[in-house]
Amino acid sequence: MSFKLPDLKYDYNALEPYIDAQTMEIHHTKHHGGYTTKLNAALEAENVSGKSIEEILGSVSKYNMGIRNNGGGYFNHNLFWEIMSPNGGGNPTGDIGNAIAETFGSYDKFKDEFANAAATRFGSGWAWLVKENGKLKIGSTPNQDNPLMDVSDFKGQPLLGLDVWEHAYYLKYQNRRPEYIDAFFNVINWDKVNELFKG
Amino acid sequence: MSFELPKLPYAHNALEPYISEKTIEFHYGKHHKAYVDKVNGMIQGTEFENADLETIIKKSDGGIFNNGAQVWNHTFYFEALSPDAKKAPEGNLAAAINETFGSFEQFKTDFANAGAGLFGSGWVWLVKNKDGKLEILQGANAENPIRDDYTPIMTMDVWEHAYYLDTQNARPKYIENFFEVLDWSVVEKRF
């Protein structure tokens, strides 16, 4: 068994003007595609098979760095494409909307805290909204680490992830990471985040 | 004391076609400048207010370290690039490279592999260790070998901002281009 690069549920230009088509295409085909290929090669080299990506990440300390880096990259990007949509943005509704208001005070306060986590991650990494023991938390991880990994300082069930590697925004925003973070809020697929929250 | 963005010894378009004018404008004009501005702001009122960058690299942590080290790293990187680069080392440095790596070509291969293999953001370094021997080191994010008592003699930025406008995901292509503008006469002097 090997992991497959998923197709996107929207066109590469569908998130314009917030995320440009060229970025989407390179990000999906080259970066995510590269992680997928390298993950499969690393798993084969270590004779790992029949495990879900979540199982692998949950005990990633048992494996080499190739599996940690590429397994993280595979999972993180799968989630990233899912939690964005051309019909996204706006205020979160439903259970996740209530939970965000209750935990952070308001959606605006949530945005501030999430944007701050994304802006202050030095170097490459991800900002996260996770659920742990029913509670929402915001944090970030370096490189392609994620909150499912046993090696991660920040743990939980990922509901929302924002890629802040420079490859995620450099063609359109260059050094202006905060503008990219602001733009991201316009494409969040809150229906999907709500589904993950309730799941 | 307040740090200043050093002037580049060449025009922004001088490294074309290997490193584009647009990349230099952002990399030097925005990233390098922002590290200078941020460290200047952060050190005020701290024990590092009058420290030099080497002291900051050796002693500080967190934001002061990250921004201070990135000032040093970028200055060291940009000053070794040139439109009239000497493409290979001579003399003592050439001998030391041959002794450690077998040949200059093998050194370039090893250094390129270290650059391609560094996962995430960071720098690849050619350093002298305490015994005067050459080593290739990888450092994540802002890391700088001075902190571990090595003497850096050359560095390559592999943060994506160093090459993404020019070669996107193709970091190995950037590494090839880097060697076209790396001026070994500067590296020889440091050695």
Side-chain angles (χ1 to χ4, degrees):
Chain A
M1 186 194 98
S2 67
F3 292 102
K4 289 198 167 53
L5 179 67
D7 292 331
L8 299 193
K9 292 175 178 159
Y10 40 83
D11 293 335
Y12 289 132
N13 65 4
L15 304 180
E16 300 256 13
Y18 306 110
I19 302 181
D20 61 287
Q22 189 190 7
T23 294
M24 288 298 296
E25 181 166 3
I26 296 173
H27 202 173
H28 179 238
T29 60
K30 304 292 186 184
H31 292 280
H32 196 187
Y35 294 129
T36 308
T37 306
K38 288 179 188 168
L39 171 63
N40 286 328
L43 291 171
E44 199 176 318
E46 282 213 16
N47 282 315
V48 182
S49 63
K51 290 188 190 303
S52 71
I53 188 65
E54 289 83 359
E55 282 177 275
I56 291 167
L57 299 178
S59 56
V60 82
S61 59
K62 292 199 301 193
Y63 303 115
N64 64 32
M65 285 303 289
I67 292 180
R68 174 170 168 180
N69 291 337
N70 294 294
Y74 177 72
F75 175 92
N76 296 346
H77 289 87
N78 285 357
L79 178 75
F80 190 50
W81 312 133
E82 288 274 333
I83 55 86
M84 295 192 291
S85 161
N87 306 312
N91 292 334
T93 54
D95 291 353
I96 187 67
N98 294 335
I100 282 174
E102 193 181 311
T103 307
F104 303 103
S106 68
Y107 177 55
D108 281 343
K109 285 184 181 157
F110 159 79
K111 279 169 73 175
D112 288 346
E113 196 176 320
F114 189 85
N116 185 55
T120 56
R121 166 52 56 186
F122 187 74
S124 301
W126 290 75
W128 302 99
L129 173 68
V130 302
K131 183 170 78 167
E132 192 186 37
N133 302 321
K135 300 271 190 208
L136 295 180
K137 284 193 313 185
I138 287 169
S140 72
T141 54
N143 291 335
Q144 295 295 353
D145 284 359
N146 70 40
L148 294 176
M149 291 182 176
D150 58 355
V151 294
S152 179
D153 294 334
F154 179 76
K155 290 197 180 66
Q157 180 65 36
L159 306 179
L160 181 67
L162 175 59
D163 190 346
V164 293
W165 283 58
E166 287 172 323
H167 68 231
Y169 59 86
Y170 210 78
L171 296 179
K172 184 171 174 70
Y173 297 99
Q174 295 86 43
N175 59 305
R176 303 181 302 280
R177 189 194 286 187
E179 282 183 30
Y180 159 71
I181 297 168
D182 278 349
F184 170 70
F185 291 109
N186 293 297
V187 294
I188 296 176
N189 180 354
W190 285 111
D191 290 341
K192 180 67 187 180
V193 180
N194 195 37
E195 187 187 309
L196 292 168
F197 176 65
K198 294 200 288 188
Chain B
M1 152 168 162
S2 153
F3 300 106
E4 282 182 17
L5 181 66
K7 292 246 184 307
L8 282 188
Y10 40 82
H12 289 182
N13 65 359
L15 305 179
E16 302 247 11
Y18 303 109
I19 298 180
S20 70
E21 178 174 18
K22 196 171 179 198
T23 290
I24 295 292
E25 278 176 0
F26 282 104
H27 198 182
Y28 168 76
K30 302 291 184 183
H31 291 279
H32 195 182
K33 181 174 190 307
Y35 293 126
V36 171
D37 292 345
K38 282 185 190 168
V39 75
N40 283 337
M42 285 177 173
I43 57 179
Q44 283 184 29
T46 75
E47 63 182 298
F48 299 106
E49 193 162 2
N50 297 306
D52 57 20
L53 284 175
E54 287 75 12
T55 304
I56 286 174
I57 287 168
K58 285 186 176 174
K59 306 281 187 200
S60 73
D61 289 297
I64 292 179
F65 172 80
N66 285 340
N67 288 285
Q70 285 291 74
V71 172
W72 198 101
N73 296 352
H74 282 91
T75 300
F76 200 69
Y77 170 77
F78 285 124
E79 76 181 14
L81 304 183
S82 167
D84 310 308
K86 179 178 178 178
K87 298 287 177 61
E90 292 179 301
N92 293 340
L93 176 56
I97 284 176
N98 287 337
E99 186 191 325
T100 304
F101 303 103
S103 67
F104 179 56
E105 280 311 308
Q106 188 60 48
F107 159 75
K108 286 207 316 193
T109 301
D110 292 353
F111 193 85
N113 287 341
L118 193 161
F119 193 74
S121 302
W123 298 80
V124 183
W125 300 87
L126 177 63
V127 301
K128 265 197 304 192
N129 66 23
K130 277 182 264 187
D131 302 323
K133 298 283 186 200
L134 294 176
E135 289 183 42
I136 294 169
L137 300 178
Q138 295 172 314
N141 293 337
E143 281 177 20
N144 180 307
I146 291 175
R147 194 168 169 111
D148 299 314
D149 293 326
Y150 291 100
T151 305
I153 63 168
M154 189 268 277
T155 193
M156 176 173 70
D157 192 347
V158 292
W159 283 59
E160 288 173 322
H161 66 229
Y163 59 88
Y164 211 78
L165 296 176
D166 295 340
T167 68
Q168 292 85 47
N169 58 296
R171 189 189 285 180
K173 180 66 192 163
Y174 156 71
I175 296 172
E176 276 178 39
N177 290 341
F178 167 78
F179 278 117
E180 295 292 332
V181 289
L182 173 65
D183 188 354
W184 283 96
S185 67
V186 176
V187 187
E188 285 169 1
K189 283 183 202 121
R190 291 168 176 167
F191 179 72

